[in-house]
Coordinates of all heavy atoms in Angstrom, one line a residue:
M1 N 0.9 -1.2 0.0 CA 0.0 0.0 0.0 C 0.9 1.2 0.0 O 1.8 1.3 0.8 CB -0.9 0.0 1.3 CG -1.7 1.3 1.4 SD -2.9 1.3 2.7 CE -2.2 0.6 4.2
K2 N 0.6 2.1 -1.0 CA 1.4 3.4 -1.0 C 0.7 4.4 -0.1 O -0.5 4.6 -0.1 CB 1.4 3.8 -2.5 CG 2.2 5.1 -2.7 CD 2.3 5.5 -4.1 CE 3.1 6.7 -4.3 NZ 3.2 7.2 -5.6
F3 N 1.6 5.1 0.6 CA 1.0 6.2 1.5 C 1.0 7.5 0.8 O 2.0 7.9 0.1 CB 1.9 6.3 2.8 CG 1.6 5.3 3.8 CD1 2.3 4.1 3.9 CD2 0.5 5.4 4.7 CE1 2.0 3.1 4.8 CE2 0.2 4.5 5.6 CZ 0.9 3.3 5.7
Y4 N -0.1 8.2 0.9 CA -0.3 9.5 0.3 C -0.4 10.5 1.5 O -1.3 10.4 2.3 CB -1.6 9.6 -0.5 CG -1.5 8.6 -1.7 CD1 -2.3 7.4 -1.7 CD2 -0.8 8.9 -2.8 CE1 -2.2 6.6 -2.7 CE2 -0.7 8.0 -3.9 CZ -1.5 6.9 -3.8 OH -1.5 6.0 -4.9
F5 N 0.5 11.5 1.5 CA 0.5 12.5 2.6 C -0.3 13.7 2.2 O -0.6 14.5 3.1 CB 1.9 12.9 2.9 CG 2.7 11.7 3.5 CD1 3.6 11.0 2.7 CD2 2.6 11.4 4.9 CE1 4.2 9.9 3.3 CE2 3.3 10.4 5.4 CZ 4.1 9.6 4.6
S6 N -0.8 13.8 1.0 CA -1.7 14.9 0.6 C -2.6 14.3 -0.4 O -2.3 13.3 -1.2 CB -0.8 15.9 -0.1 OG -1.7 16.9 -0.7
T7 N -3.8 14.9 -0.6 CA -4.8 14.5 -1.6 C -4.2 14.8 -3.0 O -4.6 14.1 -3.9 CB -6.1 15.2 -1.4 OG1 -5.9 16.6 -1.4 CG2 -6.7 14.8 0.0
R8 N -3.4 15.7 -3.1 CA -2.8 16.1 -4.4 C -1.9 15.0 -4.9 O -1.6 14.8 -6.1 CB -2.0 17.4 -4.3 CG -1.7 17.9 -5.7 CD -1.1 19.3 -5.6 NE -2.2 20.2 -5.3 CZ -2.0 21.4 -4.8 NH1 -0.9 21.8 -4.5 NH2 -3.1 22.1 -4.6
Q9 N -1.4 14.1 -4.1 CA -0.4 13.0 -4.4 C -1.2 11.8 -5.1 O -0.6 11.0 -5.7 CB 0.4 12.5 -3.3 CG 1.3 13.6 -2.8 CD 2.1 13.1 -1.5 OE1 1.6 12.3 -0.8 NE2 3.3 13.6 -1.3
I10 N -2.5 11.8 -4.9 CA -3.3 10.7 -5.5 C -3.4 11.0 -7.0 O -3.9 12.0 -7.3 CB -4.6 10.6 -4.8 CG1 -4.5 10.3 -3.3 CG2 -5.5 9.4 -5.5 CD1 -5.7 10.3 -2.5
P11 N -2.9 10.1 -7.9 CA -2.8 10.4 -9.3 C -4.2 10.8 -9.9 O -4.2 11.6 -10.7 CB -2.3 9.1 -9.9 CG -1.6 8.3 -8.8 CD -2.3 8.8 -7.5
Q12 N -5.3 10.1 -9.5 CA -6.6 10.4 -10.1 C -7.1 11.8 -9.7 O -8.0 12.3 -10.4 CB -7.6 9.3 -9.7 CG -7.3 7.9 -10.1 CD -6.6 7.2 -9.0 OE1 -5.7 7.7 -8.3 NE2 -6.9 5.9 -8.8
L13 N -6.6 12.3 -8.7 CA -7.1 13.6 -8.1 C -6.3 14.8 -8.4 O -6.6 15.9 -8.0 CB -7.4 13.5 -6.6 CG -8.3 12.3 -6.2 CD1 -8.4 12.3 -4.7 CD2 -9.7 12.5 -6.8
K14 N -5.1 14.7 -9.1 CA -4.2 15.7 -9.3 C -4.8 17.0 -9.9 O -4.5 18.1 -9.5 CB -3.0 15.3 -10.1 CG -2.0 14.5 -9.4 CD -0.8 14.2 -10.3 CE 0.2 13.4 -9.5 NZ 1.3 13.0 -10.4
H15 N -5.6 16.8 -10.9 CA -6.1 17.9 -11.6 C -7.3 18.6 -11.0 O -7.8 19.6 -11.5 CB -6.5 17.4 -13.1 CG -7.7 16.4 -13.0 ND1 -7.4 15.1 -12.7 CD2 -8.9 16.5 -13.3 CE1 -8.6 14.5 -12.8 NE2 -9.5 15.3 -13.2
L16 N -7.8 18.1 -9.9 CA -9.0 18.7 -9.3 C -8.6 19.7 -8.2 O -7.5 19.7 -7.7 CB -9.8 17.6 -8.7 CG -10.3 16.5 -9.6 CD1 -11.0 15.3 -8.9 CD2 -11.3 17.1 -10.6
T17 N -9.7 20.5 -7.8 CA -9.4 21.5 -6.7 C -9.6 20.8 -5.4 O -10.0 19.6 -5.4 CB -10.5 22.6 -6.8 OG1 -11.8 22.0 -6.6 CG2 -10.5 23.3 -8.1
M18 N -9.2 21.5 -4.4 CA -9.2 20.8 -3.0 C -10.5 20.4 -2.6 O -10.7 19.3 -2.1 CB -8.6 21.8 -2.0 CG -8.6 21.2 -0.6 SD -7.6 19.8 -0.5 CE -6.7 20.1 0.9
S19 N -11.5 21.2 -2.8 CA -12.9 20.8 -2.4 C -13.4 19.6 -3.2 O -14.1 18.8 -2.7 CB -13.9 22.0 -2.5 OG -13.9 22.5 -3.8
Q20 N -13.1 19.5 -4.5 CA -13.5 18.4 -5.3 C -12.8 17.1 -4.8 O -13.4 16.1 -4.8 CB -13.1 18.7 -6.8 CG -14.0 19.7 -7.4 CD -13.5 20.1 -8.8 OE1 -12.3 20.1 -9.1 NE2 -14.4 20.5 -9.6
R21 N -11.5 17.3 -4.5 CA -10.7 16.1 -4.0 C -11.3 15.6 -2.7 O -11.5 14.3 -2.5 CB -9.2 16.5 -3.8 CG -8.5 16.7 -5.0 CD -6.9 16.8 -4.9 NE -6.6 17.8 -3.9 CZ -6.1 18.9 -4.2 NH1 -5.9 19.3 -5.5 NH2 -5.7 19.8 -3.3
I22 N -11.6 16.4 -1.8 CA -12.2 16.1 -0.5 C -13.6 15.4 -0.8 O -13.9 14.3 -0.1 CB -12.4 17.3 0.4 CG1 -11.1 17.9 0.7 CG2 -13.2 16.9 1.7 CD1 -10.1 17.0 1.6
Q23 N -14.4 15.9 -1.6 CA -15.7 15.3 -1.9 C -15.6 13.9 -2.5 O -16.3 13.0 -2.1 CB -16.4 16.2 -2.9 CG -17.9 15.8 -3.1 CD -18.6 16.8 -4.0 OE1 -18.0 17.8 -4.5 NE2 -19.9 16.6 -4.3
I24 N -14.6 13.7 -3.4 CA -14.4 12.4 -4.0 C -13.9 11.4 -3.0 O -14.2 10.3 -2.9 CB -13.5 12.5 -5.2 CG1 -14.3 13.2 -6.4 CG2 -13.0 11.2 -5.7 CD1 -13.5 13.6 -7.6
L25 N -12.9 11.9 -2.1 CA -12.4 11.0 -1.1 C -13.5 10.6 -0.1 O -13.4 9.5 0.4 CB -11.2 11.7 -0.4 CG -9.9 11.5 -1.1 CD1 -8.8 12.3 -0.4 CD2 -9.5 10.0 -1.1
R26 N -14.4 11.5 0.2 CA -15.5 11.1 1.1 C -16.3 10.0 0.5 O -16.7 9.1 1.2 CB -16.3 12.3 1.5 CG -15.7 13.3 2.5 CD -16.6 14.3 3.0 NE -15.9 15.2 3.9 CZ -16.2 16.4 4.1 NH1 -17.2 17.0 3.4 NH2 -15.5 17.2 4.9
K27 N -16.6 10.1 -0.8 CA -17.3 9.0 -1.4 C -16.5 7.7 -1.4 O -17.1 6.7 -1.2 CB -17.6 9.4 -2.9 CG -18.7 10.5 -3.1 CD -18.9 10.8 -4.5 CE -19.9 12.0 -4.7 NZ -20.1 12.3 -6.1
A28 N -15.2 7.8 -1.7 CA -14.4 6.7 -1.7 C -14.3 6.1 -0.3 O -14.3 4.8 -0.1 CB -13.0 7.0 -2.2
E29 N -14.3 6.9 0.8 CA -14.2 6.4 2.1 C -15.5 5.7 2.5 O -15.5 4.7 3.3 CB -14.0 7.6 3.1 CG -13.7 7.2 4.5 CD -13.4 8.3 5.4 OE1 -12.9 9.4 4.9 OE2 -13.7 8.2 6.6
G30 N -16.6 6.0 1.9 CA -17.9 5.3 2.1 C -17.8 3.9 1.5 O -18.7 3.1 1.9
K31 N -17.0 3.7 0.7 CA -16.9 2.3 0.0 C -15.9 1.4 0.7 O -15.7 0.3 0.3 CB -16.4 2.5 -1.5 CG -17.4 3.2 -2.3 CD -16.9 3.4 -3.7 CE -17.9 4.2 -4.5 NZ -17.4 4.4 -5.9
L32 N -15.2 1.9 1.8 CA -14.3 1.1 2.6 C -15.1 -0.2 3.1 O -16.2 -0.1 3.5 CB -13.7 1.8 3.7 CG -12.7 2.9 3.4 CD1 -12.3 3.6 4.7 CD2 -11.5 2.4 2.7
T33 N -14.4 -1.3 3.1 CA -15.0 -2.6 3.6 C -15.0 -2.5 5.1 O -14.3 -1.6 5.7 CB -14.2 -3.8 3.1 OG1 -12.9 -3.7 3.7 CG2 -14.1 -3.9 1.6
A34 N -15.7 -3.4 5.7 CA -15.8 -3.4 7.2 C -14.5 -3.6 7.8 O -14.1 -2.9 8.8 CB -16.8 -4.5 7.6
P35 N -13.6 -4.6 7.4 CA -12.3 -4.7 8.0 C -11.4 -3.4 7.9 O -10.7 -3.1 8.8 CB -11.7 -5.9 7.3 CG -12.8 -6.6 6.7 CD -13.9 -5.6 6.4
E36 N -11.5 -2.7 6.7 CA -10.8 -1.5 6.6 C -11.2 -0.4 7.5 O -10.4 0.3 8.1 CB -10.8 -1.1 5.1 CG -10.1 -2.0 4.1 CD -10.4 -1.6 2.7 OE1 -11.6 -1.1 2.4 OE2 -9.6 -1.9 1.9
K37 N -12.6 -0.3 7.7 CA -13.1 0.7 8.6 C -12.7 0.3 10.0 O -12.3 1.2 10.8 CB -14.6 0.7 8.6 CG -15.1 1.3 7.3 CD -16.6 1.4 7.2 CE -17.2 1.9 5.9 NZ -18.6 1.9 5.9
L38 N -12.7 -1.0 10.4 CA -12.3 -1.4 11.7 C -10.8 -1.1 11.9 O -10.5 -0.5 13.0 CB -12.5 -2.9 11.8 CG -12.1 -3.5 13.2 CD1 -13.0 -3.0 14.3 CD2 -12.2 -5.0 13.1
L39 N -10.0 -1.3 11.0 CA -8.6 -1.0 11.1 C -8.3 0.5 11.2 O -7.5 0.9 12.1 CB -7.8 -1.5 9.8 CG -6.3 -1.3 9.8 CD1 -5.6 -2.0 10.9 CD2 -5.8 -1.7 8.4
L40 N -9.1 1.3 10.5 CA -9.0 2.8 10.6 C -9.4 3.3 12.0 O -8.8 4.1 12.7 CB -9.8 3.4 9.6 CG -9.7 4.9 9.4 CD1 -8.2 5.3 9.1 CD2 -10.6 5.4 8.3
N41 N -10.5 2.7 12.5 CA -11.0 3.0 13.9 C -10.1 2.6 14.9 O -9.9 3.3 16.0 CB -12.4 2.5 14.1 CG -13.4 3.3 13.3 OD1 -13.2 4.5 13.0 ND2 -14.5 2.6 12.9
I42 N -9.4 1.4 14.8 CA -8.5 1.0 15.8 C -7.3 1.9 15.8 O -6.7 2.2 16.9 CB -8.1 -0.5 15.5 CG1 -9.2 -1.4 15.9 CG2 -6.8 -0.9 16.3 CD1 -9.0 -2.9 15.5
C43 N -6.9 2.4 14.7 CA -5.7 3.3 14.6 C -6.1 4.6 15.3 O -5.2 5.2 16.0 CB -5.3 3.6 13.2 SG -4.5 2.2 12.4
K44 N -7.3 5.1 15.2 CA -7.8 6.2 15.9 C -7.7 6.0 17.4 O -7.3 6.9 18.1 CB -9.2 6.6 15.4 CG -9.3 7.2 14.0 CD -10.8 7.4 13.7 CE -10.9 7.8 12.2 NZ -12.3 8.1 11.9
L45 N -8.2 4.9 17.8 CA -8.2 4.5 19.2 C -6.7 4.5 19.8 O -6.5 4.9 20.9 CB -8.9 3.2 19.5 CG -10.4 3.3 19.5 CD1 -11.0 1.9 19.7 CD2 -10.9 4.2 20.6
L46 N -5.8 3.9 19.0 CA -4.5 3.8 19.4 C -3.8 5.2 19.7 O -2.8 5.3 20.4 CB -3.6 3.0 18.4 CG -3.9 1.5 18.4 CD1 -3.2 0.8 17.3 CD2 -3.6 0.9 19.8
I47 N -4.3 6.2 19.0 CA -3.8 7.5 19.2 C -4.6 8.3 20.3 O -3.9 8.9 21.1 CB -3.9 8.3 17.9 CG1 -3.0 7.7 16.8 CG2 -3.5 9.8 18.1 CD1 -3.1 8.3 15.4
L48 N -5.9 8.0 20.4 CA -6.7 8.8 21.4 C -6.6 8.3 22.8 O -6.6 9.0 23.7 CB -8.1 8.8 20.9 CG -8.4 9.7 19.7 CD1 -9.8 9.7 19.3 CD2 -8.0 11.2 20.0
V49 N -6.5 7.0 23.0 CA -6.5 6.4 24.3 C -5.3 6.9 25.1 O -5.4 7.3 26.3 CB -6.6 4.9 24.3 CG1 -6.2 4.2 25.6 CG2 -7.9 4.4 23.8
P50 N -4.1 6.9 24.5 CA -3.0 7.5 25.3 C -3.1 8.9 25.7 O -2.6 9.3 26.8 CB -1.8 7.3 24.4 CG -2.1 6.2 23.5 CD -3.6 6.3 23.3
V51 N -3.9 9.7 25.0 CA -4.1 11.1 25.3 C -4.9 11.2 26.6 O -4.5 11.9 27.5 CB -4.9 11.8 24.2 CG1 -5.4 13.2 24.6 CG2 -4.0 12.0 23.0
F52 N -6.0 10.3 26.8 CA -6.7 10.3 28.0 C -5.9 9.8 29.1 O -6.1 10.3 30.3 CB -8.1 9.6 27.7 CG -9.0 10.3 26.8 CD1 -9.2 9.9 25.5 CD2 -9.6 11.5 27.3 CE1 -10.0 10.6 24.7 CE2 -10.5 12.2 26.4 CZ -10.7 11.7 25.1
V53 N -5.1 8.8 28.9 CA -4.3 8.3 30.0 C -3.3 9.4 30.5 O -3.1 9.6 31.7 CB -3.5 7.0 29.5 CG1 -2.5 6.6 30.5 CG2 -4.5 5.9 29.2
L54 N -2.7 10.1 29.5 CA -1.9 11.2 29.9 C -2.6 12.3 30.6 O -2.0 12.9 31.6 CB -1.2 11.8 28.6 CG -0.1 10.9 28.1 CD1 0.3 11.4 26.7 CD2 1.1 10.7 29.0
I55 N -3.8 12.6 30.3 CA -4.6 13.6 31.0 C -4.9 13.2 32.4 O -4.8 14.0 33.3 CB -5.9 14.0 30.2 CG1 -5.5 14.7 28.9 CG2 -6.8 14.7 31.0 CD1 -6.7 14.9 28.0
L56 N -5.2 11.9 32.6 CA -5.4 11.4 33.9 C -4.1 11.5 34.8 O -4.2 11.6 36.0 CB -5.9 9.9 33.9 CG -7.3 9.8 33.4 CD1 -7.6 8.3 33.2 CD2 -8.3 10.4 34.3
R57 N -3.0 11.3 34.1 CA -1.8 11.4 34.9 C -1.3 12.8 35.2 O -0.3 13.0 35.9 CB -0.6 10.7 34.1 CG -0.7 9.3 34.0 CD 0.5 8.7 33.4 NE 1.7 9.3 33.8 CZ 2.7 8.7 34.3 NH1 2.7 7.4 34.4 NH2 3.8 9.4 34.7
A58 N -2.0 13.8 34.7 CA -1.7 15.2 35.0 C -1.7 15.6 36.4 O -1.0 16.5 36.8 CB -2.6 16.1 34.2
G59 N -2.4 14.9 37.3 CA -2.4 15.2 38.7 C -1.1 14.9 39.3 O -0.7 15.5 40.3
Q60 N -0.3 13.9 38.8 CA 0.9 13.5 39.4 C 2.1 14.2 38.6 O 3.1 14.5 39.3 CB 1.1 12.0 39.2 CG 0.0 11.2 39.9 CD 0.0 9.8 39.4 OE1 0.7 9.4 38.5 NE2 -0.9 9.0 40.0
D61 N 1.9 14.5 37.4 CA 3.0 15.1 36.6 C 2.4 16.0 35.5 O 1.7 15.6 34.6 CB 3.8 13.9 35.9 CG 4.9 14.4 35.1 OD1 5.4 15.5 35.3 OD2 5.5 13.6 34.3
W62 N 2.7 17.3 35.7 CA 2.2 18.3 34.8 C 2.7 18.1 33.4 O 2.1 18.6 32.4 CB 2.4 19.7 35.3 CG 1.5 20.0 36.5 CD1 1.7 19.9 37.8 CD2 0.1 20.4 36.3 NE1 0.6 20.2 38.5 CE2 -0.4 20.6 37.6 CE3 -0.7 20.7 35.2 CZ2 -1.7 21.0 37.9 CZ3 -2.0 21.1 35.5 CH2 -2.5 21.2 36.7
Y63 N 3.9 17.5 33.2 CA 4.4 17.3 31.9 C 3.6 16.4 31.0 O 3.7 16.3 29.8 CB 5.9 16.8 32.0 CG 6.8 17.9 32.4 CD1 7.5 17.8 33.6 CD2 7.1 19.0 31.6 CE1 8.4 18.7 34.0 CE2 8.0 20.0 32.0 CZ 8.6 19.8 33.2 OH 9.5 20.8 33.6
A64 N 2.7 15.6 31.7 CA 1.8 14.7 31.0 C 0.9 15.5 30.0 O 0.5 15.0 29.0 CB 1.1 13.8 31.9
L65 N 0.5 16.7 30.5 CA -0.4 17.5 29.6 C 0.3 18.0 28.4 O -0.3 18.0 27.3 CB -0.9 18.7 30.4 CG -1.9 18.4 31.5 CD1 -2.3 19.7 32.2 CD2 -3.1 17.8 30.8
L66 N 1.7 18.2 28.5 CA 2.4 18.6 27.3 C 2.5 17.4 26.3 O 2.3 17.6 25.1 CB 3.8 19.0 27.7 CG 4.8 19.3 26.6 CD1 4.3 20.6 25.9 CD2 6.2 19.6 27.2
W67 N 2.7 16.2 26.8 CA 2.8 15.1 26.0 C 1.4 14.8 25.4 O 1.3 14.4 24.2 CB 3.2 13.8 26.8 CG 4.7 13.8 27.1 CD1 5.3 14.1 28.2 CD2 5.7 13.7 26.1 NE1 6.7 14.1 28.1 CE2 7.0 13.8 26.7 CE3 5.8 13.5 24.7 CZ2 8.2 13.7 26.1 CZ3 7.0 13.4 24.1 CH2 8.2 13.5 24.8
A68 N 0.3 15.0 26.1 CA -1.0 14.8 25.6 C -1.2 15.8 24.4 O -1.8 15.4 23.3 CB -2.1 15.0 26.7
A69 N -0.8 17.0 24.6 CA -1.0 18.0 23.5 C -0.2 17.6 22.3 O -0.6 17.8 21.1 CB -0.5 19.4 24.0
L70 N 1.0 17.1 22.5 CA 1.9 16.7 21.4 C 1.3 15.5 20.6 O 1.3 15.4 19.4 CB 3.3 16.3 21.8 CG 4.1 17.5 22.2 CD1 5.5 17.0 22.8 CD2 4.4 18.4 21.1
V71 N 0.7 14.6 21.3 CA 0.0 13.4 20.7 C -1.2 13.9 19.9 O -1.5 13.4 18.8 CB -0.4 12.4 21.7 CG1 -1.2 11.3 21.1 CG2 0.9 11.8 22.4
I72 N -2.0 14.8 20.5 CA -3.2 15.4 19.8 C -2.7 16.1 18.5 O -3.4 16.0 17.4 CB -3.9 16.3 20.7 CG1 -4.7 15.5 21.7 CG2 -4.9 17.2 19.8 CD1 -5.8 14.7 21.1
L73 N -1.6 16.8 18.6 CA -1.1 17.5 17.4 C -0.6 16.5 16.3 O -0.7 16.8 15.1 CB 0.0 18.5 17.7 CG -0.4 19.7 18.5 CD1 0.8 20.5 18.9 CD2 -1.4 20.6 17.7
A74 N -0.2 15.4 16.7 CA 0.3 14.4 15.8 C -0.8 13.6 15.1 O -0.6 12.9 14.1 CB 1.3 13.4 16.5
Y75 N -2.0 13.7 15.7 CA -3.1 12.9 15.2 C -3.4 13.0 13.7 O -3.4 12.0 13.1 CB -4.4 13.3 16.1 CG -5.6 12.5 15.7 CD1 -5.9 11.3 16.3 CD2 -6.6 13.2 14.9 CE1 -7.1 10.6 15.9 CE2 -7.8 12.5 14.6 CZ -8.0 11.3 15.1 OH -9.2 10.6 14.8
P76 N -3.5 14.3 13.2 CA -3.8 14.3 11.8 C -2.6 14.0 10.9 O -2.8 13.5 9.8 CB -4.1 15.8 11.5 CG -3.6 16.5 12.7 CD -3.6 15.6 13.9
F77 N -1.4 14.1 11.4 CA -0.2 13.8 10.6 C 0.0 12.3 10.5 O 0.6 11.8 9.6 CB 1.0 14.4 11.2 CG 1.0 15.9 11.2 CD1 0.9 16.6 12.3 CD2 1.1 16.6 10.0 CE1 0.9 18.0 12.3 CE2 1.0 17.9 9.9 CZ 0.9 18.7 11.1
V78 N -0.6 11.5 11.4 CA -0.5 10.1 11.4 C -1.7 9.5 10.7 O -1.6 8.6 9.9 CB -0.3 9.5 12.8 CG1 -0.4 8.0 12.8 CG2 1.0 10.0 13.4
L79 N -2.8 10.0 11.1 CA -4.1 9.3 10.6 C -4.5 9.7 9.2 O -5.0 8.8 8.4 CB -5.2 9.7 11.6 CG -6.4 8.8 11.4 CD1 -6.1 7.4 11.7 CD2 -7.5 9.3 12.3
K80 N -4.3 10.9 8.8 CA -4.7 11.3 7.5 C -4.0 10.6 6.3 O -4.7 10.1 5.4 CB -4.6 12.9 7.3 CG -5.7 13.6 7.9 CD -7.0 13.3 7.4 CE -8.2 14.1 8.1 NZ -9.5 13.7 7.6
P81 N -2.7 10.4 6.4 CA -2.1 9.6 5.3 C -2.6 8.2 5.3 O -2.8 7.6 4.2 CB -0.6 9.7 5.6 CG -0.4 10.9 6.5 CD -1.7 11.1 7.2
F82 N -2.9 7.6 6.4 CA -3.4 6.3 6.4 C -4.8 6.2 5.9 O -5.2 5.3 5.1 CB -3.4 5.8 7.9 CG -3.7 4.3 8.0 CD1 -2.8 3.4 7.5 CD2 -4.8 3.9 8.7 CE1 -3.1 2.0 7.7 CE2 -5.1 2.6 8.8 CZ -4.3 1.6 8.3
Q83 N -5.6 7.2 6.2 CA -6.9 7.3 5.6 C -7.0 7.5 4.1 O -7.7 6.9 3.4 CB -7.7 8.5 6.4 CG -9.1 8.6 6.0 CD -9.8 9.7 6.8 OE1 -9.2 10.3 7.7 NE2 -11.0 10.0 6.5
Y84 N -6.1 8.4 3.7 CA -6.0 8.7 2.2 C -5.5 7.4 1.5 O -6.0 7.1 0.4 CB -5.0 9.8 1.9 CG -5.4 11.2 2.4 CD1 -4.4 12.1 2.7 CD2 -6.7 11.5 2.6 CE1 -4.7 13.3 3.1 CE2 -7.0 12.8 3.1 CZ -6.0 13.7 3.3 OH -6.4 15.0 3.8
S85 N -4.6 6.7 2.1 CA -4.1 5.5 1.4 C -5.1 4.4 1.3 O -5.2 3.7 0.3 CB -2.9 5.0 2.2 OG -1.9 6.0 2.2
L86 N -5.9 4.2 2.4 CA -7.0 3.2 2.3 C -8.1 3.6 1.3 O -8.6 2.8 0.6 CB -7.6 3.0 3.7 CG -6.9 2.2 4.7 CD1 -7.5 2.2 6.0 CD2 -6.7 0.8 4.2
S87 N -8.4 4.9 1.3 CA -9.5 5.3 0.3 C -9.0 5.5 -1.1 O -9.9 5.4 -2.0 CB -10.0 6.7 0.8 OG -10.5 6.6 2.1
A88 N -7.8 5.6 -1.4 CA -7.3 5.9 -2.7 C -7.7 4.7 -3.7 O -7.9 5.0 -4.9 CB -5.8 6.0 -2.7
K89 N -7.7 3.5 -3.2 CA -8.0 2.4 -4.2 C -9.5 2.4 -4.6 O -9.9 1.8 -5.6 CB -7.7 1.1 -3.6 CG -8.3 0.7 -2.3 CD -7.8 -0.6 -1.8 CE -8.4 -0.9 -0.4 NZ -7.7 -2.1 0.1
Y90 N -10.4 3.2 -3.9 CA -11.8 3.3 -4.3 C -12.1 4.6 -5.1 O -13.2 4.8 -5.4 CB -12.7 3.3 -3.0 CG -12.5 1.9 -2.3 CD1 -11.8 1.8 -1.2 CD2 -13.1 0.8 -2.9 CE1 -11.7 0.6 -0.5 CE2 -13.0 -0.5 -2.2 CZ -12.3 -0.5 -1.0 OH -12.2 -1.8 -0.4
V91 N -11.1 5.4 -5.4 CA -11.3 6.5 -6.2 C -11.3 6.1 -7.7 O -10.5 5.3 -8.1 CB -10.1 7.5 -6.0 CG1 -10.2 8.7 -7.0 CG2 -10.1 8.1 -4.6
P92 N -12.4 6.5 -8.4 CA -12.4 6.0 -9.8 C -11.3 6.6 -10.6 O -10.7 7.6 -10.3 CB -13.8 6.6 -10.3 CG -14.2 7.6 -9.3 CD -13.5 7.3 -8.0
E93 N -11.0 6.0 -11.8 CA -9.9 6.4 -12.6 C -10.1 7.8 -13.2 O -9.2 8.6 -13.2 CB -9.8 5.4 -13.8 CG -8.5 5.4 -14.5 CD -7.3 5.1 -13.5 OE1 -7.4 4.2 -12.7 OE2 -6.3 5.8 -13.6
N94 N -11.4 8.1 -13.6 CA -11.7 9.4 -14.1 C -12.8 9.9 -13.2 O -14.0 9.9 -13.6 CB -12.1 9.4 -15.6 CG -11.0 9.0 -16.5 OD1 -9.9 9.5 -16.3 ND2 -11.3 8.1 -17.4
P95 N -12.5 10.5 -12.1 CA -13.6 10.9 -11.2 C -14.4 12.1 -11.7 O -13.9 13.1 -12.3 CB -12.8 11.3 -9.9 CG -11.5 11.6 -10.3 CD -11.2 10.8 -11.5
E96 N -15.7 12.0 -11.6 CA -16.6 13.1 -12.0 C -17.5 13.4 -10.8 O -18.1 12.4 -10.2 CB -17.5 12.7 -13.2 CG -16.6 12.5 -14.5 CD -17.4 12.1 -15.7 OE1 -18.6 12.2 -15.6 OE2 -16.8 11.6 -16.6
L97 N -17.7 14.6 -10.5 CA -18.5 15.0 -9.3 C -20.0 14.9 -9.6 O -20.7 14.8 -8.6 CB -18.1 16.4 -8.9 CG -16.7 16.6 -8.4 CD1 -16.4 18.0 -8.2 CD2 -16.4 15.7 -7.2
G98 N -20.4 14.9 -10.7 CA -21.9 14.9 -11.1 C -22.5 13.5 -10.8 O -23.7 13.4 -10.7
D99 N -21.7 12.5 -10.7 CA -22.3 11.1 -10.5 C -22.7 10.9 -9.0 O -21.9 11.2 -8.2 CB -21.2 10.1 -10.9 CG -20.9 10.2 -12.4 OD1 -21.6 10.8 -13.1 OD2 -19.9 9.6 -12.7
D100 N -23.9 10.5 -8.8 CA -24.3 10.0 -7.5 C -25.2 8.9 -7.6 O -25.8 8.5 -8.4 CB -25.0 11.2 -6.8 CG -24.1 12.2 -6.1 OD1 -23.0 11.7 -5.7 OD2 -24.5 13.3 -5.9

């Protein structure tokens, strides 16, 4: 699986505007199979659960809040490329926005 760090890197979407790319990726994300959705949600949990654990530890160590903030900031940088990569295979070869 090839990782795409931007929607512009997906070959079928290069020529489209940002709003068009997002719209097409949302449609493609709706076509994800159940195991793929489960994998994506587990990845989300693997990022969010440590944040709450770090927040709970803030009573003992204030630096835990700093670490929680860093993990939250890393959330889109880790999850979005994974989400784009899973959805890219469901993007049609010649995407057209008028089709529904």
